[in-house]
Amino acid sequence: MAAVNCKKADTKFCFEDIIARHSLFAAMPDTLVEGFVQAAQPITVSKGSTLFMQNDEAEWFYIITKGWVKLFRETLDGDEAVIDMVTTGHIFGESAIIDDGIHSFGATAVEECDLLRFPSKMLKAAVAENHAVALAMLGSMSRHRKQQTREIESLNLQNASQRIGCFLLRLCRVNDVEPISLQLPYDKSLIAARLGMKSETFSRALNKLRNDTSIAVKGSNVEIPEIDALSHYACTACSSEFPCDDLH
């Protein structure tokens, strides 16, 4: 989904368009969708702003209209484990209504972000009162669980260089014209954390990937000469193929 900028006079219609793109809201009757449109609050948060922490009571859930948000959990020894990086078009924080109204992870903006936030109690009431909404909620959770299973598989079957290759492939489209030029969407240290490796491991693995596939990396810019070569390198280690069916 492209970043959305709403003019003040057209804000209501812009919210309707953003909400209509999500399967969760598509299952709702029009009157209920209108209620969420009226309740939506646009906010802009600065880089490093924490939206909520793990174990916080869930007052809001969010749709990103521009920017990147880091979702993370605290480990037993106090470290931070990045569980996802989400961007424009993604809903997050909504699953807390299933977890006794408590967030099971924290969320922090990794750059300035524009968001729509909605009262969690409205979604909880909608799920309780409408079977279609409840099924849509379960479907969303199932898709997320499938993605997590795929990522666990990758951690077990792919080496570090292949996991970086997989990450880069997820930034590509099948019909992109080669050579493909990409810009890394966020800092390399966050990419490393998202892929379950330390920064020094990431650097070594990126160098190996560069040598094995002839990709070019300069700062945050990446050029992929042949997508088939990269997909053959990264995808043959797991049960996936490019493009993965869970790409979004």
Side-chain angles (χ1 to χ4, degrees), residues 194-213:
R194 181 68 187 92
L195 298 179
M197 61 185 81
K198 296 184 180 298
S199 294
E200 55 269 25
T201 303
F202 178 86
S203 296
R204 290 194 299 269
L206 183 59
N207 285 332
K208 185 177 188 302
L209 178 65
R210 188 161 41 194
N211 293 333
D212 291 348
T213 65

Side-chain angles (χ1 to χ4, degrees), residues 224-240:
I224 303 171
E226 297 180 11
I227 197 167
D228 284 346
L230 182 60
S231 62
H232 179 75
Y233 181 88
C235 299
T236 53
C238 63
S239 62
S240 307

Side-chain angles (χ1 to χ4, degrees), residues 170-184:
R170 286 175 174 270
L171 302 177
C172 301
R173 295 181 296 270
V174 176
N175 58 351
D176 282 343
V177 178
E178 298 172 338
I180 300 170
S181 295
L182 302 173
Q183 185 168 31
L184 298 177

Side-chain angles (χ1 to χ4, degrees), residues 35-217:
F36 278 96
V37 170
Q38 296 293 340
Q41 296 183 12
I43 61 172
T44 297
V45 295
S46 59
K47 179 179 179 179
S49 297
T50 296
L51 294 157
F52 53 81
M53 291 294 293
Q54 181 179 335
N55 297 323
D56 280 355
E57 185 176 348
E59 184 178 0
W60 308 96
F61 70 99
Y62 303 81
I63 295 178
I64 306 172
T65 58
K66 187 181 72 173
W68 283 87
V69 172
K70 173 180 67 175
L71 309 181
F72 62 94
R73 289 180 60 88
E74 294 183 3
T75 63
L76 292 176
D77 56 6
D79 290 335
E80 182 181 282
V82 177
I83 60 172
D84 208 350
M85 298 289 296
V86 290
T87 189
T88 303
H90 284 254
I91 295 179
F92 66 95
E94 82 287 4
S95 60
I97 66 167
I98 308 297
D99 295 323
D100 297 323
I102 302 298
H103 288 297
S104 60
F105 54 82
T108 297
V110 300
E111 62 181 2
E112 183 176 276
C113 294
D114 293 336
L115 309 162
L116 288 180
R117 69 179 187 182
F118 305 83
S120 294
K121 62 183 180 182
M122 284 188 65
L123 181 58
K124 185 174 183 179
V127 168
E129 297 169 6
N130 189 295
H131 289 169
V133 178
L135 288 173
M137 184 78 176
L138 289 173
S140 176
M141 294 173 66
S142 176
R143 287 189 294 272
H144 182 64
R145 180 62 58 87
K146 181 180 178 180
Q147 180 184 343
Q148 288 181 320
T149 301
R150 177 70 55 80
E151 290 173 356
I152 292 170
E153 181 182 71
S154 295
L155 285 172
N156 289 328
L157 299 178
Q158 291 179 311
N159 61 38
S161 297
Q162 289 168 331
R163 295 207 301 273
I164 298 173
C166 181
F167 176 85
L168 295 177
L169 285 171
R170 286 175 174 270
L171 302 177
C172 301
R173 295 181 296 270
V174 176
N175 58 351
D176 282 343
V177 178
E178 298 172 338
I180 300 170
S181 295
L182 302 173
Q183 185 168 31
L184 298 177
Y186 41 86
D187 188 80
K188 289 179 182 177
S189 62
L190 283 173
I191 298 174
R194 181 68 187 92
L195 298 179
M197 61 185 81
K198 296 184 180 298
S199 294
E200 55 269 25
T201 303
F202 178 86
S203 296
R204 290 194 299 269
L206 183 59
N207 285 332
K208 185 177 188 302
L209 178 65
R210 188 161 41 194
N211 293 333
D212 291 348
T213 65
S214 299
I215 68 168
V217 182

